[in-house]
């Protein structure tokens, strides 16, 4: 049985851990609120932009812009978004497993861009070719933080290096639910319910009966499509940030509760050991008195 000194040391260590986990829980809760507000505020804009670009992609071809072109040649690129830090429960593990399954199931050539240290380290250990790494975008990702990554992806896709680009990230569902997900970034998927008209042909600046471009489609798409890529990446970064703080808050709350239970058990063990020690001393005193 451990001595009273050992039990006291374990109680002190458990209290110190509880203090740390409780502080991390409160910090994560405060950051989660801002991250959740940013994520929910950006969703309508991102979803509407997806719908618009999907409709445009249905009536335009790759001849109008390289980011709309579909090709067989080239590699597949996966952008894996994780966090730089741990202590967030199974959050990063789930995203890494999701990406690993996609990598194993894919039979062609594949490369990866990692965002966040956890994903980079895991993929390095697995031997997955990483063409670029970006540090995590911090507590509050900004659109400017995403631009270097967006430019790199658009430039490589326009150079026909890749035939498909996917983003693997953790989607924020609720405080208790975060789900690993994958969305196709490029090429843009046409909307399934869009009717391009007779052949989708452009006549005098009018595409079928769907769109009127002013100025020409090439100029509009040169401005709109790179922003679309940046917006999709930005939304994924926001979702990942909100998921991280939500998962960390829950993990630290569970850790604090476990520390409380451990302290109670250790305190009970300490009291039993102390009582046993006192009882043993009383028996020794009584036995010594009788021997006299």
């Amino acid at each position: 049985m451990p001595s009273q000194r050992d039990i006291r040391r374990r109680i002190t260590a458990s209290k110190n851990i509880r203090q740390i986990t409780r502080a991390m829980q409160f910090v994560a809760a405060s950051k989660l609120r801002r991250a959740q507000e940013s994520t929910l505020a950006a969703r309508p804009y991102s979803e509407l932009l997806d719908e618009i670009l999907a409709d445009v992609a249905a009536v335009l071809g790759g001849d109008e812009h390289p980011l709309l072109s579909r090709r067989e040649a080239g590699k597949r690129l996966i952008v894996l978004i994780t966090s730089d830090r741990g202590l967030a429960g199974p959050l990063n593990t789930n995203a890494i497993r999701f990406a690993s399954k996609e990598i194993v199931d894919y039979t062609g050539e594949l490369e990866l861009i990692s965002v966040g240290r956890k994903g980079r380290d895991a993929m390095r250990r697995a031997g997955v070719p990483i063409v670029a790494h970006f540090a995590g975008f911090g507590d509050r990702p900004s659109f400017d933080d995403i631009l270097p990554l967006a430019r790199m992806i658009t430039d490589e896709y326009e150079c026909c290096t890749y035939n498909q680009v996917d983003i693997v990230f953790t989607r924020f569902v609720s405080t208790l639910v975060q789900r690993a997900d994958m969305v196709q970034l490029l090429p843009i998927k046409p909307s399934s319910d869009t009717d391009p008209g007779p052949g989708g042909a452009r006549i005098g600046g009018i595409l079928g009966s769907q769109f009127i471009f002013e100025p020409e489609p090439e100029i509009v798409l040169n401005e709109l499509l790179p922003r679309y890529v940046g917006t999709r990446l930005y939304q994924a970064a926001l979702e990942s940030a909100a998921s991280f703080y939500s998962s960390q808050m829950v993990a630290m709350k569970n850790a604090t509760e476990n520390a409380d239970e451990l302290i109670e058990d250790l305190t009970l063990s300490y009291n039993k050991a102390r009582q046993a020690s006192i009882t043993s001393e009383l028996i020794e005193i009584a036995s010594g008195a009788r021997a006299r």
Side-chain angles (χ1 to χ4, degrees), residues 209-278:
S209 60
Q210 294 279 332
F211 303 103
I212 298 176
F213 284 91
E214 180 63 36
E216 290 298 310
E218 295 83 356
I219 300 176
V220 175
L221 294 177
N222 283 334
E223 294 292 331
L224 187 59
L225 291 179
R227 179 164 290 273
Y228 162 81
V229 173
T231 300
R232 292 296 295 269
L233 291 168
Y234 179 55
Q235 183 65 39
L238 290 177
E239 298 275 353
S240 297
S243 298
F244 172 77
Y245 289 117
S246 178
S247 182
Q248 186 179 67
M249 183 188 70
V250 173
M252 292 300 100
K253 181 177 181 294
N254 293 335
T256 302
E257 292 175 352
N258 291 337
D260 287 333
E261 294 178 1
L262 181 59
I263 291 171
E264 290 180 3
D265 293 340
L266 290 173
T267 302
L268 180 61
S269 298
Y270 174 77
N271 291 335
K272 289 181 179 180
R274 184 168 177 270
Q275 184 177 7
S277 176
I278 293 173

Side-chain angles (χ1 to χ4, degrees), residues 89-139:
L91 179 83
N92 291 315
T93 303
N94 291 340
I96 292 169
R97 286 178 178 173
F98 190 98
S100 298
K101 184 178 184 303
E102 288 294 325
I103 293 171
V104 171
D105 293 342
Y106 189 69
T107 56
E109 290 188 82
L110 183 143
E111 292 180 342
L112 183 133
I113 293 178
S114 60
V115 178
R117 183 171 57 86
K118 292 295 182 179
R120 179 200 62 185
D121 295 345
M123 291 302 160
R124 277 183 177 176
R125 290 192 295 268
V128 178
I130 300 176
V131 296
H133 169 69
F134 291 81
F137 299 125
D139 299 342

Side-chain angles (χ1 to χ4, degrees), residues 60-221:
L60 289 177
D63 295 337
E64 299 289 350
H65 197 280
L67 295 182
L68 295 177
S69 64
R70 302 173 182 277
R71 57 181 78 102
E72 297 297 330
K75 306 174 184 177
R76 181 185 181 187
L77 176 67
I78 291 180
V79 181
L80 174 60
I81 301 179
T82 59
S83 66
D84 284 331
R85 294 171 292 170
L87 299 178
L91 179 83
N92 291 315
T93 303
N94 291 340
I96 292 169
R97 286 178 178 173
F98 190 98
S100 298
K101 184 178 184 303
E102 288 294 325
I103 293 171
V104 171
D105 293 342
Y106 189 69
T107 56
E109 290 188 82
L110 183 143
E111 292 180 342
L112 183 133
I113 293 178
S114 60
V115 178
R117 183 171 57 86
K118 292 295 182 179
R120 179 200 62 185
D121 295 345
M123 291 302 160
R124 277 183 177 176
R125 290 192 295 268
V128 178
I130 300 176
V131 296
H133 169 69
F134 291 81
F137 299 125
D139 299 342
R140 305 179 69 179
S142 67
F143 193 78
D144 291 337
D145 296 331
I146 306 295
L147 289 180
L149 174 59
R151 289 196 192 101
M152 177 181 178
I153 292 174
T154 53
D155 290 345
E156 292 296 331
Y157 194 85
E158 289 178 359
C159 293
C160 300
T161 304
Y162 303 112
N163 60 11
Q164 181 176 335
V165 181
D166 299 308
I167 312 172
V168 175
F169 64 101
T170 305
R171 188 180 298 277
F172 177 80
V173 180
S174 67
T175 303
L176 299 177
V177 180
Q178 304 86 38
R179 184 178 299 116
D181 196 8
M182 182 179 71
V183 296
Q184 181 174 314
L185 180 63
L186 294 173
I188 299 170
K189 290 183 177 180
S191 177
S192 58
D193 58 354
T194 299
D195 180 12
R202 178 163 61 91
I203 305 173
I206 301 177
L207 288 162
S209 60
Q210 294 279 332
F211 303 103
I212 298 176
F213 284 91
E214 180 63 36
E216 290 298 310
E218 295 83 356
I219 300 176
V220 175
L221 294 177

Side-chain angles (χ1 to χ4, degrees), residues 19-93:
Q19 186 176 4
I20 294 172
T21 56
R22 181 174 292 170
M24 293 184 66
Q25 175 189 343
F26 292 151
V27 171
S30 64
K31 292 183 177 181
L32 169 62
R33 182 176 179 180
R34 294 195 300 266
Q36 183 177 351
E37 290 175 352
S38 299
T39 301
L40 297 179
R43 276 182 183 174
Y45 177 82
S46 178
E47 292 171 357
L48 184 59
L49 187 60
D50 287 348
E51 294 177 6
I52 294 173
L53 264 297
D55 291 341
V56 171
V59 295
L60 289 177
D63 295 337
E64 299 289 350
H65 197 280
L67 295 182
L68 295 177
S69 64
R70 302 173 182 277
R71 57 181 78 102
E72 297 297 330
K75 306 174 184 177
R76 181 185 181 187
L77 176 67
I78 291 180
V79 181
L80 174 60
I81 301 179
T82 59
S83 66
D84 284 331
R85 294 171 292 170
L87 299 178
L91 179 83
N92 291 315
T93 303

